[in-house]
Amino acid sequence: MTYPPPGTPRARIPSPLQPPPPYPRIRAGLWRRLLSGGLAVWALTALATYATADTALLPTVILLGGLLLPVAFVLWAYERHGHDLGVSAVLGCFLAGGTLGVLGASVTEQHPLHPSLRMFAGAGLTEAVKLGALMFVLRRLRGIHGMRAGLVLGAAVGCGFAALESSGHAFGTALSTDGLGLRTLLETETLHGILAPLGHGLWTAIAGGALLAHRRPNGRFRLGGPVLGAWLGAGLLHTLWDSTHGVALWLVTQLAGPYPARQLFAQGYVPRPTALQEHLLAVFSVGGLVLVSLLGIARVRSLARRGASWRNTP
């Protein structure tokens, strides 16, 4: 090996402004690979369960189906808009939203069959629990603030809640059906999995964005008018989401009777429905969910435009 002669100028390599993060970086496009690979494994597991009637595979079907889409959505949000927030903050919000959120919702949330003040109160308390989970995770991360951080981390909390709630609904379906009931189980998993990012993820993102947009520089949270207004808006969207089935029943009675609306609300279903009634109920129920999702997406987009840091992300 030859060395340069003495006195030869050497190139100086500037050191980075910040040390590299202690956690491994997530490669771009991981959410796509996770989603495609996870869907393939879930489908193969479901087919094996159906073919063999082996109940030992049910936990895999339920947990993978409940976690797959929420985790993929959180990874997408992190890759596009949350690299500087850190993996620990995003992962902590997801886990806290799932565990603390579901635990609090089991105590506070109630599901009456038709829209009511009790439904709104239950949805509002559930959103407050999820907002509390976000504050708990960020209590020592004083440097995280701003609208963009609130939207990303709020969505992580909501998706964590949705993941465990969907798994819980799927377990309840499996326990309540006669025998294996795999078809009903898969329908429940598919519906809740697709709707998870469009429901709880959006609502908590709205409240989380307002919370961190008004966070003090010293890390303290301000629960002023804008934050309370965002929380009430998230609770209203949650209530509208939960009431779509009741509203669909009411519309069916108005268009395709002959049962009175009060009787349907008391029973929660159409007795001996005709083909037309079944079709209308499905259309109105799904249409209501789509409408509430579009309202939530529009609200999140309007909040994102207010954050200057959001324009610096793809």
Side-chain angles (χ1 to χ4, degrees), residues 99-112:
T99 54
L100 299 180
V102 171
L103 179 61
S106 65
V107 179
T108 61
E109 191 173 38
Q110 301 181 24
H111 295 281

Side-chain angles (χ1 to χ4, degrees), residues 7 34 57 69 117 141 158 211-213 225 236 270:
L34 172 71
L57 296 175
L69 282 173
L117 182 61
L141 302 175
L211 177 68
L212 294 190
L236 178 61
V270 179

Side-chain angles (χ1 to χ4, degrees), residues 113 248-250 252-253 259-271:
L113 296 176
L249 283 173
W250 180 82
V252 168
T253 62
Y259 302 101
R262 184 178 298 274
Q263 178 183 352
L264 289 182
F265 283 149
Q267 296 180 356
Y269 64 94
V270 179

Side-chain angles (χ1 to χ4, degrees), residues 18-277:
Q18 294 181 350
Y23 50 82
R25 291 184 177 273
I26 295 179
R27 297 175 58 185
L30 178 60
W31 70 272
R32 294 189 185 92
R33 295 188 292 273
L34 172 71
L35 184 60
S36 59
L39 285 175
V41 173
W42 181 78
L44 290 174
T45 307
L47 288 174
T49 306
Y50 183 81
T52 63
D54 185 3
T55 57
L57 296 175
L58 278 180
T60 303
V61 175
I62 291 174
L63 292 178
L64 186 58
L67 290 171
L68 183 57
L69 282 173
V71 171
F73 179 79
V74 171
L75 276 177
W76 170 84
Y78 173 80
E79 289 182 16
R80 291 183 63 88
H81 306 293
H83 266 296
D84 58 327
L85 301 178
V87 175
S88 58
V90 176
L91 181 61
C93 288
F94 185 88
L95 295 177
T99 54
L100 299 180
V102 171
L103 179 61
S106 65
V107 179
T108 61
E109 191 173 38
Q110 301 181 24
H111 295 281
L113 296 176
H114 59 282
S116 65
L117 182 61
R118 188 178 64 173
M119 175 182 284
F120 180 78
L125 288 174
T126 301
E127 294 305 315
V129 169
K130 291 190 288 182
L131 204 59
L134 177 61
M135 296 170 64
F136 174 78
V137 174
L138 301 181
R139 69 192 187 281
R140 295 182 180 178
L141 302 175
R142 302 180 185 274
I144 296 181
H145 57 83
M147 180 63 71
R148 175 173 58 87
L151 291 175
V152 173
L153 296 179
V157 170
C159 285
F161 178 90
L164 289 192
E165 186 190 47
S166 299
S167 300
H169 284 307
F171 271 114
T173 301
L175 293 176
S176 62
T177 54
D178 185 15
L180 188 58
L182 185 60
R183 179 179 176 181
T184 304
L185 172 63
L186 295 180
E187 290 176 350
T188 303
E189 284 263 285
T190 303
L191 178 62
H192 284 276
I194 293 174
L195 297 178
L198 302 177
H200 290 287
L202 288 178
W203 309 326
T204 316
I206 293 171
L211 177 68
L212 294 190
H214 295 85
R215 191 180 190 183
R216 297 181 185 275
N218 61 3
R220 293 188 177 182
F221 297 100
R222 290 189 296 180
L223 301 179
V227 178
L228 294 178
W231 166 64
L232 290 175
L236 178 61
L237 288 174
H238 192 163
T239 304
L240 292 174
W241 183 279
D242 290 342
S243 64
T244 52
H245 182 69
V247 173
L249 283 173
W250 180 82
L251 290 174
V252 168
T253 62
Q254 302 303 310
L255 298 178
Y259 302 101
R262 184 178 298 274
Q263 178 183 352
L264 289 182
F265 283 149
Q267 296 180 356
Y269 64 94
V270 179
R272 298 182 301 278
T274 64
L276 176 61
Q277 289 172 335

